[in-house]
Amino acid sequence: MTRSAEGVGDAVLFFRYTCEARGLRHPDDFLAKYREAAARLGLQNADEPAPKTVEGWLYEGRKPQRVFRPVIVEMLGHGIEALWTEVPEGTAQQFVPLAGASPTAPHADAGVGLDDMKRTGAMAVRRAKEFLLGADRERVGEDTLGLLDDEVQRLVAAYPREPLSVIWDDLLETQEQVFRLLEGGRVRPSQLRDLNVKGAMLSFLVAKGFNDMEVPHQAMTMTRVAAACAKDAEHPGLIALTYGLKSLIAYWADRPEDAYHYAGQGAATAADLRGTVGLWLLGLRARAAAVLGDEETVRAINQQAADRREHVVHDDLDELGGLFFYAPEKQLYYAVEAEVLLGHGDARLAAQAEQAVQGFSDPSSPSWAFGDLAGSRCDLALVRLFGGDLDGAAEAVRPVLDLPASHRNNGIVVSTMRIRHALMSSPARTAAVAQDLRAEIEAFPVGRPALPRG
């Protein structure tokens, strides 16, 4: 059981616990890492706390001023509210961050030596991959396909969990390797379908990346590449998925008519499929219908999706996971969002919205995704705001506003801006909490979302 850390006395804050685990016991050590985090955020001449201020954070439980919070979140990978929570005596408290739960992220400062070893090791692995891919000059060998299998599975699993900047280069490189093999004329007929499936999956992820970077034209072009590969592979599930991705791109680009149209095409394509892709397309269609204000269609589609969930038989895409599996918690999140877009905020929907957030509360779950957790929190904030609970809305969105800039993709930014628009038309818009929250949201996208550095 934990409680707020304001005036905690001798209790140990998770902030201090995390700093000490990383060897940051002195303000000078802390400030060195603080400057590195500020540089990663692209903050030139960033405000820097005084050593005495850092000591107050570490040893007196003082909360940092808002100007310092984005850098601290980037530095430690946890939201401010989580960091300023007590760690129960004698235990290692388990926190649920919106970011920083990547299976590949270091949990402590590994030191320069280890960083150098990892960097030179990665270069060796890259060179070995190039050797293997070039060795099969006459034909594509099974080792090459196995290597690509491993890489595709890794990237599919990592995409919802990692900031785009971490995987972008590997994603583009692996796609290029698959295209090179397809163009090289060294592929056996039995290997052709497999490579086209990989090409479709990788192009799907690259297209999603462009959408997260708010480049809808490039995202749509790459989706058409994914669709071409899926058709060459004669894979109905992947073909349906590409329609879904077109709908998703249109939805976040504020083109609900197109989003509804593409989702309908995909749903027709997936009508006879038993996997979860058909459910995703129904969810996409319901959300688009909600933006269009068609409440009757929203209810009918969501009911159809609920009925269909009971008859799902997982297919090869579901087994792959990541963005290719539409989990029950994601279905609930989409259903809640459709109701929110219609402007609803009753007690029943509030309970469902809280359940959707809870569904993404365990970072060890295969279906965990920082974007879905952030989106479900934004929906919960809107439900509470529509229901007149301004403080509850602020509490729900707080961890989202604490996200480091590397995780602020287009969907998250758009979702937070919906809260800002709702605040402006709320009866409570003149309240101090509403004005402060609106100002924070306006500042949130300034660092720009999730762009690969360089």
Side-chain angles (χ1 to χ4, degrees):
M1 185 73 175
T2 62
R3 57 186 170 82
S4 171
E6 296 284 0
V8 292
D10 294 330
V12 177
L13 291 175
F14 184 56
F15 170 75
R16 178 175 170 182
Y17 176 89
T18 302
C19 289
E20 290 185 350
R22 301 182 183 209
L24 306 178
R25 294 179 174 84
H26 189 275
D28 290 345
D29 300 326
F30 181 92
L31 288 169
K33 294 297 180 184
Y34 183 95
R35 294 181 193 109
E36 292 177 6
R40 289 197 300 272
L41 290 174
L43 299 176
Q44 304 297 328
N45 302 315
D47 290 298
E48 186 174 300
K52 286 289 186 183
T53 301
V54 176
E55 288 179 358
W57 299 343
L58 286 169
Y59 304 115
E60 299 174 26
R62 296 177 187 168
K63 258 189 178 177
Q65 294 176 313
R66 296 198 184 278
V67 68
F68 302 123
R69 293 184 183 184
V71 181
I72 294 172
V73 170
E74 169 69 19
M75 175 179 165
L76 299 179
H78 290 274
I80 292 297
E81 295 304 320
L83 288 168
W84 261 261
T85 306
E86 292 179 24
V87 177
E89 185 177 355
T91 66
Q93 176 73 9
Q94 296 297 314
F95 289 86
V96 181
L98 277 168
S102 159
T104 61
H107 296 283
D109 185 6
V112 175
L114 183 57
D115 287 345
D116 284 342
M117 290 169 64
K118 289 180 178 178
R119 184 163 50 252
T120 55
M123 291 171 61
V125 170
R126 187 182 298 272
R127 177 68 184 90
K129 285 166 61 179
E130 291 174 355
F131 167 77
L132 181 58
L133 289 165
D136 300 325
R137 289 183 174 83
E138 299 302 322
R139 59 183 176 83
V140 176
E142 293 305 314
D143 287 336
T144 296
L145 292 178
L147 176 71
L148 291 172
D149 275 336
D150 293 343
E151 196 67 0
V152 169
Q153 290 174 13
R154 179 183 74 84
L155 291 166
V156 168
Y159 194 102
R161 311 179 72 87
E162 304 268 15
L164 185 58
S165 56
V166 171
I167 65 169
W168 185 245
D169 288 345
D170 287 348
L171 186 54
L172 296 181
E173 180 186 359
T174 307
Q175 183 196 40
E176 168 64 21
Q177 290 165 348
V178 169
F179 286 168
R180 195 185 313 143
L181 292 175
L182 285 169
E183 292 171 341
R186 300 181 281 122
V187 181
R188 299 190 188 103
S190 60
Q191 299 169 328
L192 187 59
R193 182 179 187 274
D194 185 31
L195 281 171
N196 272 305
V197 166
K198 290 179 175 60
M201 291 176 175
L202 292 165
S203 298
F204 181 101
L205 294 178
V206 173
K208 179 65 165 58
F210 279 121
N211 182 68
D212 287 345
M213 291 188 285
E214 198 181 6
V215 193
H217 174 71
Q218 300 281 39
M220 195 64 78
T221 298
M222 191 58 71
T223 303
R224 297 188 190 284
V225 175
C229 290
K231 289 172 183 175
D232 285 344
E234 298 181 345
H235 194 299
L238 279 171
I239 294 170
L241 273 170
T242 60
Y243 282 115
L245 188 53
K246 289 177 183 178
S247 176
L248 188 78
I249 294 165
Y251 173 76
W252 290 117
D254 196 23
R255 301 199 312 270
E257 293 90 352
D258 290 348
Y260 185 81
H261 169 72
Y262 287 129
Q265 284 187 307
T269 303
D272 296 327
L273 301 179
R274 301 290 299 278
T276 64
V277 59
L279 292 174
W280 183 48
L281 287 154
L282 290 174
L284 290 165
R285 201 173 191 205
R287 290 201 312 188
V291 178
L292 296 170
D294 188 348
E295 185 164 348
E296 183 178 350
T297 297
V298 170
R299 297 286 166 79
I301 293 175
N302 280 339
Q303 184 59 54
Q304 181 185 353
D307 295 341
R308 187 166 172 173
R309 170 64 70 175
E310 299 178 4
H311 304 288
V312 162
V313 177
H314 290 168
D315 57 17
D316 58 330
L317 296 175
D318 295 325
E319 296 299 331
L320 192 61
L323 299 181
F324 299 108
F325 174 53
Y326 189 62
E329 50 267 41
K330 191 160 185 172
Q331 183 171 346
L332 176 61
Y333 157 42
Y334 270 49
V336 167
E337 184 153 296
E339 295 286 342
V340 168
L341 291 167
L342 290 169
H344 297 153
D346 57 27
R348 177 193 62 83
L349 186 59
Q352 290 180 330
E354 290 169 1
Q355 184 183 349
V357 171
Q358 185 63 31
F360 293 108
S361 66
D362 182 5
S364 66
S365 169
S367 301
W368 186 87
F370 72 85
D372 292 338
L373 178 54
S376 60
R377 279 196 164 276
C378 288
D379 288 341
L380 176 59
L382 283 167
V383 171
R384 289 176 172 174
L385 184 61
F386 295 154
D389 183 4
L390 181 58
D391 290 334
E395 178 188 12
V397 77
R398 172 65 51 221
V400 181
L401 299 180
D402 284 340
L403 274 173
S406 60
H407 290 69
R408 298 177 193 176
N409 63 36
N410 182 42
I412 293 175
V413 170
V414 171
S415 295
T416 59
M417 295 307 288
R418 285 178 182 153
I419 300 171
R420 174 183 173 274
H421 295 323
L423 284 167
M424 293 175 68
S425 58
S426 168
R429 60 184 176 276
T430 59
V433 173
Q435 291 178 345
D436 289 347
L437 183 57
R438 194 172 69 195
E440 285 187 70
I441 293 172
E442 288 170 352
F444 178 72
V446 170
R448 211 38 246 151
L451 295 177
R453 299 187 186 95

